[in-house]
Amino acid sequence: MFGKKGKKQDKQKEDTKSKKSNDTKKKGSEPVVDDESKVKRSDQIKICIGFLLLAFVILMIVSFISYFFTWKSDQSLSNYGFFEAMFNSDIQVENKAGKIGAVVANFFIRDTFGIASFAIVAMLVVISLRLLRIRKIRILSFMIKSTVIMLWFSLALASIFKDSLFMLGGKHGYFMFTGMCNLVGAVGAYSIIIVLALIIVIFCFENSILGIKKILEKIAAFRVKDIKEKLTTEEDEIDNPTEPTDGETGDVAPILPIEHNGEDVTETDEPSEPDETENPTVIDLYQNPDGKKEDDSGIDLEINPVNVENPEEASDSETPQDEESQPVDEDPKQEVESDEVMDLEINKPQEEEIIDENDPDEWLKKVGPYDPRAELEDYKFPSLDLLKTYDNENAPIINQEEQRENANRIVTTLRNYGVEIDSIKATVGPTVTLYEVVPKAGVRISKIQSLESDIMLSLSAAGIRIIAPMPGKGTVGIEVPNEKPQMVSMHSVIASKRFQEEKKMRLPIAYGRTITNEIFMFDLAKTPHLLVAGATGTGKSVAINAIITSLLYKKHPAELKLVMVDPKMVEFAPYKPLIRHFLAAQPDTDPQQVVITDCDKVINTLNSLVVEMEERYKLLMDAGVRNLEEYNEKFINRRLNPQKVVPNTAMHHQFLPYIVIIIDEYGDFIMQAGKQVETPIARITQKARAVGMHMILATQRPSVNIVTGVIKANIPTRIALRTQSVIDSRTVLDAKGAEQLIGRGDSLYAGNASVTRIQCAFVDTPEVDAIVDHIEHQQHYIGPYELPEVKTEGGEDAGGGANLDPNNRDPLFEEAARLVCSTQQGSTSMLQRKFGIGYNRAGRIVDQLEAMGIVGPYEGSKARQVMYDETSLERYLESLREIK
C-alpha cells in the first residue's frame, strides 16, 4: 500500500512539473507576437527621433554659422528672458535660424564652449545615424572622446584669443584659463594645455603612439649624428696636428710626415638590428579540405638577421700606419663621403627583403598561406547551449519485460509455422528494437520473409521490417517499434565526440542515431546529392533542419553558401537573417526574398547556378586541377595568382566556397514548369560535384513523374521517410520497407549499396531561431554571395529602349566606351575594377553600351564582341552629342 501511494505521489509530482514546464513554455511562446510588435514600434520611435535630431542638427549648423556674422546685432537678445524674447514681436534678430537659432547659438558659442561647440553637432549627427541604422558607431566611446576634445579646444582657444572681444573659447574656456593662470601662472597654464593635448591624442587616437615614437626616434637619430660628427672632427685633429710656429724667427715650422705607431681612435657604433616581422600564423581549429591537419612547420618562419657591415669601421681599421698626413681641410670631405656610403649600406637590407611575387615558394614563406577565414576572423561558431537537452538523451530506455515478451512471441510465431531457430538477440534503439534471429540449418530465408504479416499480428505492432539476411552477418533481422519511442535530440548528436572530432568530412552531416544507438553521419560532399522523400507529416522538414544545423555548426561562412528554395514560404523563412553570412542570391535580390518561393525566380536561380558551375570549371581548368578541394588547396598555398585574369574570361582566381542547394517540395515546381526546372537540376546533379556544388531535393510525392529516371540516376543517395505505399517506397529506394516506418523522423538511408534505418534528430523551431539569432549578430559580409546574373527572354533586353535615350545614360558612359574599345573587352567585371563601381552600375553601363551598339549581345560564357575601334568611337560619340 505504501509503495503504491509513493508511486502515485511521484507521478503527481512529475505531472505538476510537466504542467509547470508546459505553462512556462506557453507563457514564453504567447508573447512572441507582442514582442515583434514592440520591436516594430520601438524601431518606428527610433527612426522618428533620428529624423527629429537631424532637423535640430540642421538648425544648429545654420544658427552657428550665422552667429559669426550677426552676433553683434543680436547681442541685445541676451538681456531678455527666453519666453520674453520668443514671444515679443518688437525684438528682431538677424540670425538666419530666427530667434531660436540666435538663442541656441548664443548659449553654446558665447556662454559655454565657443567654436568647440561644433563637437555637440557631431555627437547629435552620430546619434541620429545610429537611430536611423545608417551607420553603426560606438556612441558611448565617440561621445566621451568628442566631449574631451571639445573641452580642450575650448580651453586652448580661450588661451590663444584671451583678449578678443569675440570669445572663441566661450565662457567655459575663459574661466578655466583664468583660474589656471591664477593657480600656476601663464607658463604653467600653457604647459598644462600642451600636456593635456598629448594625453588626449594618445588616448583618443590608436595609432598616435606609433607616430610619437617615430618622431622621438628621428630626434634621437639626429642627436646621435651630431655627436658622431663631433667625434670624427676631434679624431681628425688628433691624427693631423699642426706644428707650432718658431718663436725666434716668427716663421711657421715646416710640416713633416708623422709616423702613427700607436692605435687609431676608432668609433664603434652598434649596428641597428633589423625589425623581425612575424609571419602570420593561422590557428585553425578545423581541418583543411583534404582532411589532414594543417602543419605550418613546412613554412620557414625564421628570418635570418642581416649583418650590416659598417664601411666606416672598415675604413678606420684598414688605415695604413705609414702614411703622409693630409691637410686638415680635406678630411671633412672624406667623412662626408663615408657617411653617404654608410647611409646607402643601411638602406640596402630593405631592398634585399623584396620578394618576387611570381615565385610562389618565396611568396608563401613571406606572407604565409592564405586564410579564407581572415575576413571574418572574429566570427564565433554557435555554442551547444543553443540546443535543448532532454533526459536520457544519450542512452535508450530498456524495458526488459517488453523485450522478453516480444522475443517469445517471435519465437512462438516462427515455430507455429515450422521455422526453428537456434538463438535470438535483441538490440534496443531509441525508437526501434532489432531482433537478430539465427535459424537452424535447412530453413529457407524466404519462408521467414513470407511470415512478416503474421509476426506483425502476433506483436500487435504498427509495422515491422524483416532484413533477410543482414549484410555481413549470418542472421535474419526483425525490426520492431518500441512501445515508448525515445526522442533523439539534436544536442546529443552535435555534442557527440564523433561529430566534434570529425575532420575528414568536407560537409559533415550528423543526421541522427541508428538502431544500435550510434551517431549516424555522412559526408554530403561524397554523397554527392541527396533526395529526401516521404509522406506529409513524417518529418521531412525536421530532417532538412537537422542537415542545415549540422552545416552551420561545422562550417565557416567563408567555406559554405546556401541556396534555399521554399514553395511553402514558411519552412525556410527563419533562415532569412543569414543573408550576410551563409546565403547566396542573384544581384539586386530583395533581402525578404532571399529564400526563393516563386517559380520564375527558381528557374532564373537554377540557370544562374548552371552558369556558376561552368565558370568554376573554367577556373579549375586554368588551375590544372580536378576538383574543388585541390583548387582551394592550391589557392591557399599561393599557387594561384588572384590578380591574373583567366584566359578567354573576365574572372580571377579566388577561394571558392561550397554551395549547397536545398529545394523543399521541388515536385510543385516540376508540375508548374516541367522541363524548365528539371533540365538545370539534371545538369547540376550531373556535373556540379567536382566544383563543390551539391543539391538536396525534398518531396512529399515520390511518384514516377516527380522522381524521374534522370533524377534517380544522378542522385544515388536517398533518405526515405514513411511512404503511403510500397510503390512509393520502391520509387525512392528501389526496395520496399519505407511503407512500414513509424513516422516522426523514422527513416531509411540508402547509400553505399546498403539501407540503414535511422531515427532523425529532432530540431525544434526555438532552437533554429536561437542559432540564427546567434549567427546574425556575428561578424558578417556586406551582402550575400552573388551568383551570376542570367539573361532571360524579354528581361534585360526589354529595358533597352529606355537606354537609347541620351538623357538616361550613365555619367561614366563615354569613359567606359573608350575603355572597352581600347582594350577590346566589354565585361562587367573590368568596369568594376577600373572605375571602382558596384556590379549593378557596371551591368547597367554594359547594357547601355549594348543598346547603343558599341558592344555585342550577351553570348553566355563567351566575351562580348566590341563593334568599334578608338577612332571610329570618337566620331560615333560626337554624333551622339549632336543628337543630344
Side-chain angles (χ1 to χ4, degrees):
M1 295 293 291
F2 293 103
K4 293 181 178 178
K5 289 182 179 180
K7 291 181 180 179
K8 290 181 180 179
Q9 291 176 357
D10 293 338
K11 289 183 179 179
Q12 290 176 358
K13 290 180 179 180
E14 292 178 358
D15 293 337
T16 54
K17 289 181 180 179
S18 62
K19 288 179 180 180
K20 288 180 180 180
S21 62
N22 292 331
D23 293 338
T24 55
K25 289 180 180 178
K26 291 179 180 179
K27 290 179 181 179
S29 60
E30 286 176 358
V32 172
V33 179
D34 297 336
D35 292 341
E36 292 179 356
S37 61
K38 289 180 181 178
V39 170
K40 292 180 180 179
R41 182 60 56 85
S42 64
D43 291 342
Q44 294 173 353
I45 294 172
K46 289 179 181 178
I47 292 172
C48 294
I49 295 174
F51 281 118
L52 289 175
L53 282 178
L54 281 179
F56 185 68
V57 164
I58 296 172
L59 176 67
M60 290 182 68
I61 294 173
V62 174
S63 63
F64 284 6
I65 296 174
S66 180
Y67 182 80
F68 295 145
F69 305 98
T70 62
W71 66 277
K72 290 183 179 180
S73 58
D74 295 341
Q75 194 172 11
S76 60
L77 191 66
S78 59
N79 299 328
Y80 300 93
F82 177 78
F83 292 100
E84 184 180 359
M86 290 296 105
F87 299 105
N88 191 347
S89 59
D90 296 334
I91 300 174
Q92 300 295 327
V93 296
E94 295 185 8
N95 195 295
K96 298 299 182 182
K99 293 182 180 180
I100 294 179
V103 171
V104 170
N106 184 73
F107 173 76
F108 282 105
I109 296 180
R110 180 177 180 275
D111 296 338
T112 51
F113 307 110
I115 297 178
S117 300
F118 276 98
I120 298 176
V121 177
M123 295 182 205
L124 294 177
V125 170
V126 169
I127 294 173
S128 61
L129 293 179
R130 182 65 182 270
L131 291 174
L132 295 174
R133 296 183 178 181
I134 297 175
R135 187 173 184 181
K136 290 186 178 180
I137 300 175
R138 296 181 179 178
I139 295 179
L140 182 61
S141 175
F142 181 81
M143 292 186 67
I144 293 173
K145 293 179 181 178
S146 301
T147 303
V148 172
I149 294 172
M150 178 181 67
L151 296 176
W152 182 86
F153 265 106
S154 175
L155 179 60
L157 291 172
S159 65
I160 297 173
F161 303 98
K162 57 181 179 296
D163 298 328
S164 176
L165 182 63
F166 182 80
M167 292 187 293
L168 296 177
K171 290 184 178 181
H172 165 267
Y174 176 77
F175 289 123
M176 287 292 295
F177 181 72
T178 304
M180 291 171 62
C181 290
N182 293 332
L183 293 175
V184 295
V187 176
Y190 284 113
S191 301
I192 292 174
I193 292 173
I194 295 172
V195 172
L196 288 176
L198 292 175
I199 294 174
I200 291 172
V201 169
I202 291 172
F203 281 95
C204 293
F205 303 98
E206 298 177 355
N207 298 327
S208 59
I209 298 177
L210 298 176
I212 294 173
K213 285 183 178 180
K214 290 181 180 179
I215 294 173
L216 295 176
E217 288 175 359
K218 289 182 180 180
I219 295 172
F222 181 76
R223 180 63 178 165
V224 170
K225 189 174 181 179
D226 290 342
I227 296 171
K228 194 182 298 182
E229 290 178 356
K230 290 181 180 179
L231 291 175
T232 53
T233 54
E234 291 177 0
E235 180 184 356
D236 293 335
E237 292 177 358
I238 294 173
D239 292 340
N240 301 317
T242 57
E243 294 295 330
T245 58
D246 191 350
E248 296 180 356
T249 61
D251 297 331
V252 179
I255 299 175
L256 300 176
I258 299 174
E259 294 182 357
H260 298 275
N261 295 324
E263 295 181 356
D264 295 336
V265 180
T266 60
E267 179 185 348
T268 58
D269 295 334
E270 295 181 0
S272 60
E273 295 180 2
D275 296 335
E276 295 182 359
T277 58
E278 295 180 358
N279 287 2
T281 304
V282 181
I283 301 175
D284 197 351
L285 298 178
Y286 294 83
Q287 292 181 347
N288 58 13
D290 290 335
K292 299 179 181 179
K293 292 185 178 180
E294 293 181 357
D295 188 3
D296 292 336
S297 60
I299 301 172
D300 188 7
L301 299 180
E302 184 178 352
I303 299 177
N304 296 325
V306 181
N307 295 326
V308 182
E309 295 182 357
N310 195 336
E312 185 179 356
E313 293 182 0
S315 61
D316 292 339
S317 61
E318 295 176 0
T319 52
Q321 293 182 358
D322 297 331
E323 183 180 314
E324 294 185 357
S325 60
Q326 300 295 329
V328 178
D329 56 353
E330 294 180 1
D331 290 336
K333 294 181 179 181
Q334 295 177 0
E335 291 297 326
V336 171
E337 292 176 1
S338 64
D339 289 341
E340 291 176 357
V341 175
M342 181 183 67
D343 292 339
L344 291 174
E345 290 293 329
I346 290 174
N347 292 332
K348 190 173 181 179
Q350 296 181 359
E351 296 178 359
E352 293 176 357
E353 291 180 358
I354 298 175
I355 296 176
D356 186 9
E357 297 183 7
N358 295 325
D359 189 351
D361 294 329
E362 294 297 328
W363 186 248
L364 181 63
K365 291 179 182 180
K366 175 66 178 177
V367 300
Y370 173 78
D371 183 11
R373 302 184 180 184
E375 190 173 353
L376 299 184
E377 59 182 356
D378 296 332
Y379 175 83
K380 294 181 181 179
F381 285 84
S383 62
L384 296 175
D385 299 336
L386 303 175
L387 299 173
K388 292 182 182 179
T389 57
Y390 300 87
D391 296 334
N392 300 321
E393 63 179 11
N394 293 321
I397 300 173
I398 300 176
N399 189 342
Q400 296 284 350
E401 184 177 354
E402 177 187 353
Q403 311 306 328
R404 286 175 187 155
E405 289 180 358
N406 288 339
N408 292 331
R409 290 173 182 172
I410 291 172
V411 172
T412 303
T413 304
L414 293 175
R415 285 178 178 175
N416 290 338
Y417 290 94
V419 177
E420 297 292 333
I421 62 173
D422 288 336
S423 63
I424 184 170
K425 181 177 66 174
T427 303
V428 182
T431 57
V432 176
T433 300
L434 173 63
Y435 296 92
E436 295 185 53
V437 176
V438 180
K440 287 188 176 181
V443 177
R444 292 186 176 180
I445 296 177
S446 59
K447 191 172 183 179
I448 300 177
Q449 288 179 323
S450 63
L451 297 175
E452 179 178 349
S453 301
D454 300 295
I455 297 172
M456 185 167 58
L457 177 62
S458 64
L459 295 175
S460 301
I464 67 171
R465 177 170 169 261
I466 295 179
I467 309 171
M470 293 194 66
K473 297 182 180 180
T475 59
V476 176
I478 303 175
E479 296 174 350
V480 180
N482 297 334
E483 290 185 1
K484 295 181 179 180
Q486 182 182 359
M487 180 183 296
V488 176
S489 67
M490 198 68 201
H491 179 272
S492 65
V493 177
I494 297 294
S496 63
K497 183 178 180 181
R498 182 180 177 188
F499 181 79
Q500 293 294 330
E501 296 181 356
E502 177 57 50
K503 305 297 181 183
K504 295 182 180 180
M505 295 184 180
R506 311 289 190 272
L507 296 174
I509 305 297
Y511 184 72
R513 292 182 180 270
T514 62
I515 294 177
T516 58
N517 204 45
E518 296 178 354
I519 302 297
F520 183 81
M521 293 179 59
F522 63 92
D523 189 0
L524 184 62
K526 292 183 178 180
T527 305
H529 310 287
L530 184 64
L531 173 64
V532 182
T536 304
T538 55
K540 292 189 308 302
S541 300
V542 176
I544 295 176
N545 286 332
I547 293 172
I548 297 174
T549 303
S550 302
L551 295 174
L552 295 181
Y553 266 90
K554 205 68 173 177
K555 305 303 291 184
H556 190 271
E559 302 166 347
L560 174 67
K561 299 300 174 184
L562 301 174
V563 177
M564 295 185 174
V565 180
D566 179 21
K568 298 178 183 177
M569 305 183 186
V570 294
E571 294 296 341
F572 294 155
Y575 296 104
K576 288 181 181 179
L578 302 181
I579 181 172
R580 294 182 293 183
H581 291 88
F582 287 99
L583 297 186
Q586 287 185 302
D588 297 333
T589 300
D590 186 1
Q592 296 299 324
Q593 298 178 358
V594 68
V595 176
I596 306 162
T597 58
D598 184 63
C599 185
D600 293 335
K601 293 182 179 179
V602 170
I603 297 173
N604 293 337
T605 302
L606 290 175
N607 292 327
S608 177
L609 289 168
V610 172
V611 176
E612 173 77 12
M613 177 184 67
E614 298 293 343
E615 291 181 351
R616 289 191 171 202
Y617 266 111
K618 292 179 182 178
L619 293 175
L620 265 63
M621 181 180 65
D622 183 71
V625 295
R626 300 179 60 184
N627 52 50
L628 185 72
E629 293 79 16
E630 296 178 2
Y631 176 85
N632 284 337
E633 183 180 3
K634 204 169 183 179
F635 187 84
I636 290 173
N637 293 327
R638 309 286 183 178
R639 301 289 176 178
L640 300 174
N641 187 0
Q643 302 297 330
K644 175 186 174 183
V645 179
V646 179
N648 300 324
T649 65
M651 298 181 294
H652 297 262
H653 287 291
Q654 59 182 333
F655 183 85
L656 299 178
Y658 286 94
I659 298 179
V660 178
I661 307 105
I662 307 172
I663 304 178
D664 189 15
E665 193 47 56
Y666 86 102
D668 185 60
F669 296 119
I670 292 292
M671 296 185 67
Q672 291 184 48
K675 293 294 182 181
Q676 290 182 333
V677 172
E678 185 179 1
T679 300
I681 289 177
R683 291 198 63 191
I684 292 172
T685 54
Q686 284 174 351
K687 296 176 56 178
R689 172 184 182 179
V691 293
M693 299 172 62
H694 307 278
M695 182 169 287
I696 300 175
L697 301 178
T699 181
Q700 65 182 3
R701 291 176 290 182
S703 56
V704 179
N705 59 339
I706 303 298
V707 185
T708 61
V710 176
I711 299 297
K712 292 176 65 176
N714 297 318
I715 306 180
T717 305
R718 304 153 201 169
I719 294 177
L721 292 98
R722 184 174 182 178
T723 58
Q724 295 288 352
S725 63
V726 181
I727 299 174
D728 292 343
S729 176
R730 293 187 182 278
T731 302
V732 179
L733 300 175
D734 294 329
K736 66 176 184 178
E739 75 282 357
Q740 298 293 346
L741 299 177
I742 60 176
R744 296 184 178 181
D746 188 17
S747 56
L748 296 175
Y749 176 85
N752 299 325
S754 63
V755 179
T756 307
R757 190 164 186 173
I758 308 162
Q759 177 61 41
C760 178
F762 176 71
V763 188
D764 202 0
T765 302
E767 296 177 86
V768 175
D769 294 338
I771 295 170
V772 172
D773 183 69
H774 170 83
I775 298 175
E776 182 184 7
H777 292 87
Q778 296 298 313
Q779 189 180 11
H780 55 75
Y781 296 104
I782 299 176
Y785 180 86
E786 286 194 354
L787 299 174
E789 195 170 10
V790 180
K791 280 195 172 184
T792 57
E793 294 184 1
E796 295 180 3
D797 293 338
N803 295 330
L804 290 173
D805 187 359
N807 297 322
N808 292 334
R809 290 202 298 268
D810 192 274
L812 294 175
F813 174 80
E814 292 189 2
E815 296 183 23
R818 294 188 182 95
L819 177 64
V820 167
C821 293
S822 62
T823 59
Q824 291 295 305
Q825 291 181 0
S827 64
T828 305
S829 59
M830 182 186 67
L831 298 181
Q832 286 183 263
R833 294 193 307 273
K834 296 296 183 180
F835 296 108
I837 59 178
Y839 179 87
N840 297 331
R841 186 179 179 184
R844 286 193 294 269
I845 293 175
V846 172
D847 293 339
Q848 292 171 9
L849 293 173
E850 179 186 351
M852 303 306 292
I854 298 176
V855 297
Y858 180 79
E859 297 180 4
S861 59
K862 295 182 180 180
R864 290 176 181 263
Q865 185 178 1
V866 181
M867 304 299 181
Y868 289 85
D869 56 9
E870 296 183 45
T871 305
S872 59
L873 175 68
E874 293 299 331
R875 293 196 297 267
Y876 180 64
L877 293 177
E878 187 65 29
S879 64
L880 291 178
R881 295 191 201 100
E882 293 175 359
I883 295 173
K884 185 175 179 180

